Amino acid sequence: MVTRYYNAKIYTEGKLIDGEMIVYNNMIAHIGEPVMGSIADNEVDLKGKFVFPSFKNAHAHSPMTFLRNSSDDMPLLDWLKTQIWPKEAALKEEECYWFTKLAIMEYLRSGITLASDMYFMLDPIAQACNDSNFRNVMCYGLNDSTLNGKTPAQIYDYGFANYKSNFVRYRVGIHGEYTTSEKTLREIAEYVIDRGEPVYVHMSESKAEVEECKARYGKTPVKLFRDLGLFNAGGVVYHMVHPEGDDLDILKEMNVGVVTCPASNMKLASGIAPVKEMLEKGIKVGIGTDGAASNNRLDMFRENYLLSVGQKIKYNDASAISSTQILKMASEGISDLIDVPLCGELKQNNFADFIVADMHLSNIWPVDDIANSIVYSGGPSNIYMTVCNGKILYKEGEYFINEDPDRIFAKCQESLQNIKNRI
């Protein structure tokens, strides 16, 4: 199947060009001037609209849409222990499926074609993503309470054996140092060292988390994981709001990337991550929404904006971080570290994962600098079309995810009531 998207303004390799993009099945075959004599099965006239690489939500908890707007205005650790974990204990797998489908709808409306989920219930997330033709790089939120009588090796081996498709991949996850005993951490270290697997983990999200780790081990979470060998093959840490001392140098040395979640960190009053310093040190940085319970939106446009203004405030510097840097982080920041290296940029032989934006709208016009326009003025209302793996999944308010949106809402409403009845 050959599809030609023409009469477009295409953002590729950091610049905007007028031309067309030809997609062969799920891959980009051509970007640039019209190809003479090209024969396409489908022709899509974009009428001057803008084509960008799609956003990658580098840290998410998709099923947590059921917790949106229910437990707000609390500090992180109290919020987790008294509100989130007790409610999640009542969640069933079928319900997890429908809440993930709801999240996928919101992702697509915001131009997101990939989420990297950490959760304790992965089968329904994988099924929802496969059913929707939506990408996900998943990891199990392993800690002492989610082992469920199994060893870390058994849990990870199951994930690698079962979560592999055109859309779903699997990585080694640890929920966090503060939920995982030293014994379990050492078992995980043995596993990842033996297999050369990178580790994905919440880390240094709150000041209290860091101080508690130092009280337990006499060192920061970053140093603890390095010393245990958990970072021997690299990995990704989520949040990293409160690095201390040479923590960032260690992350760079160990090839560990960072995912920053500006809205969630601000809402929980966790703080503002030192992203400017991370970038200056050459650390790869991606952007995530975190879950709908702590955000409450799964909107990458808002994350982009808050990342920018947060860094300006943190460093008292209006030029702390550029919109071009943010756009790059949002679309390709840690694509190689989460094992999807061909999804980040729009270029020949990459996957056809992209968004089409209508810039002829009152919230964003006039478009002077393209990156500034997206980061500071753009929003989901500007998304005209979202394409993943060559297939249109969203266009002009309609979803093409193999399920009626009305049924998704109905099943989510039914599931939410059932959870309330069980609590």
Side-chain angles (χ1 to χ4, degrees):
M1 176 71 71
V2 178
T3 303
R4 175 182 176 234
Y5 296 89
Y6 67 100
N7 194 11
K9 297 182 181 296
I10 305 170
Y11 190 77
T12 177
E13 298 181 337
K15 61 182 183 295
L16 198 65
I17 66 170
D18 292 312
E20 67 179 29
M21 181 166 63
I22 295 177
V23 175
Y24 178 68
N25 292 330
N26 64 338
M27 307 295 288
I28 297 172
H30 169 77
I31 294 177
E33 295 293 324
V35 178
M36 297 299 295
S38 65
I39 299 176
D41 301 291
N42 295 309
E43 303 249 345
V44 182
D45 183 358
L46 294 181
K47 300 179 179 178
K49 293 181 176 65
F50 289 63
V51 180
F52 297 92
S54 59
F55 296 137
K56 316 301 184 299
N57 186 359
H59 179 55
H61 308 287
S62 295
M64 293 179 78
T65 50
F66 84 99
L67 294 165
R68 194 198 316 260
N69 306 324
S70 66
S71 305
D72 298 313
D73 305 325
M74 297 179 67
L76 173 64
L77 295 181
D78 287 346
W79 173 78
L80 284 171
K81 293 173 183 177
T82 67
Q83 298 294 321
I84 301 306
W85 292 339
K87 293 176 181 177
E88 285 185 318
L91 181 66
K92 295 186 180 297
E93 290 213 351
E94 182 183 0
E95 295 160 348
C96 182
Y97 174 89
W98 292 111
F99 293 130
T100 301
K101 292 284 278 192
L102 182 65
I104 290 170
M105 289 173 60
E106 188 174 3
Y107 292 149
L108 295 172
R109 186 71 179 85
S110 178
I112 297 167
T113 60
L114 179 148
S116 186
D117 266 314
M118 174 179 279
Y119 214 56
F120 62 93
M121 205 179 280
L122 295 185
D123 283 352
I125 298 176
Q127 189 63 53
C129 292
N130 282 323
D131 289 349
S132 304
N133 298 317
F134 182 84
R135 297 193 195 279
N136 204 316
V137 180
M138 308 188 308
C139 54
Y140 187 72
L142 194 149
N143 58 37
D144 284 13
S145 66
T146 60
L147 283 170
N148 299 320
K150 299 177 182 177
T151 67
Q154 288 172 327
I155 289 173
Y156 295 142
D157 285 346
Y158 176 88
F160 282 114
N162 289 278
Y163 306 131
K164 50 184 179 181
S165 71
N166 290 334
F167 298 100
V168 172
R169 308 291 284 275
Y170 182 77
R171 312 305 293 169
V172 169
I174 305 173
H175 178 266
E177 174 276 326
Y178 61 99
T179 56
T180 313
S181 67
E182 182 177 359
K183 174 180 179 295
T184 302
L185 289 175
R186 289 188 180 280
E187 290 176 3
I188 298 169
E190 183 179 348
Y191 182 92
V192 298
I193 291 170
D194 181 59
R195 292 162 177 78
E197 289 291 343
V199 164
Y200 300 71
V201 59
H202 295 103
M203 185 167 284
S204 303
E205 182 175 357
S206 71
K207 187 68 175 175
E209 172 197 335
V210 176
E211 292 304 316
E212 289 175 8
C213 181
K214 287 160 63 178
R216 277 188 289 271
Y217 298 102
K219 59 187 76 174
T220 65
V222 172
K223 291 185 175 67
L224 174 67
F225 271 52
R226 177 201 59 187
D227 293 348
L228 290 174
L230 286 161
F231 287 153
N232 280 16
V236 173
V237 294
Y238 306 128
H239 302 294
M240 195 46 57
V241 178
H242 296 282
E244 294 186 0
D246 58 352
D247 280 354
L248 294 184
D249 293 319
I250 292 170
L251 295 180
K252 170 60 178 174
E253 177 187 352
M254 304 303 293
N255 192 32
V256 177
V258 174
V259 178
T260 185
C261 304
S264 177
N265 295 154
M266 291 180 185
K267 181 168 178 282
L268 291 167
S270 298
I272 299 173
V275 173
K276 176 178 182 289
E277 188 177 351
M278 295 173 189
L279 294 175
E280 289 172 348
K281 290 181 177 294
I283 296 171
K284 294 178 180 178
V285 181
I287 306 172
T289 63
D290 211 357
S294 65
N295 190 311
N296 297 19
R297 281 160 53 183
L298 308 177
D299 177 359
M300 284 293 285
F301 285 97
R302 186 165 75 162
E303 300 303 322
N304 294 342
Y305 180 84
L306 289 176
L307 173 56
S308 175
V309 299
Q311 295 303 296
K312 297 176 192 303
I313 292 169
K314 183 175 182 67
Y315 293 99
N316 192 29
D317 178 4
S319 63
I321 189 170
S322 72
S323 57
T324 300
Q325 287 175 297
I326 291 173
L327 201 55
K328 185 178 179 67
M329 283 187 280
S331 60
E332 60 178 284
I334 58 167
S335 292
D336 57 336
L337 294 180
I338 59 174
D339 199 27
V340 283
L342 299 179
C343 293
E345 300 177 82
L346 291 186
K347 62 182 183 181
Q348 189 176 9
N349 297 323
N350 270 12
F351 289 116
D353 292 6
F354 61 91
I355 53 181
V356 178
D358 187 348
M359 312 292 268
H360 196 69
L361 295 174
S362 59
N363 70 299
I364 204 168
W365 192 92
V367 179
D368 185 9
D369 179 280
I370 190 62
N372 288 346
S373 298
I374 289 292
V375 171
Y376 298 122
S377 301
S381 63
N382 296 107
I383 297 296
Y384 170 78
M385 179 191 300
T386 303
V387 177
C388 180
N389 207 45
K391 182 178 179 181
I392 297 172
L393 300 186
Y394 171 85
K395 181 181 178 183
E396 294 187 283
E398 289 190 72
Y399 295 90
F400 306 95
I401 54 175
N402 300 315
E403 189 62 76
D404 181 1
D406 287 339
R407 183 164 186 259
I408 294 173
F409 281 116
K411 296 297 289 187
C412 286
Q413 182 62 51
E414 176 187 334
S415 297
L416 185 60
Q417 187 58 55
N418 288 339
I419 291 171
K420 290 178 178 179
N421 291 341
R422 288 195 293 271
I423 295 176

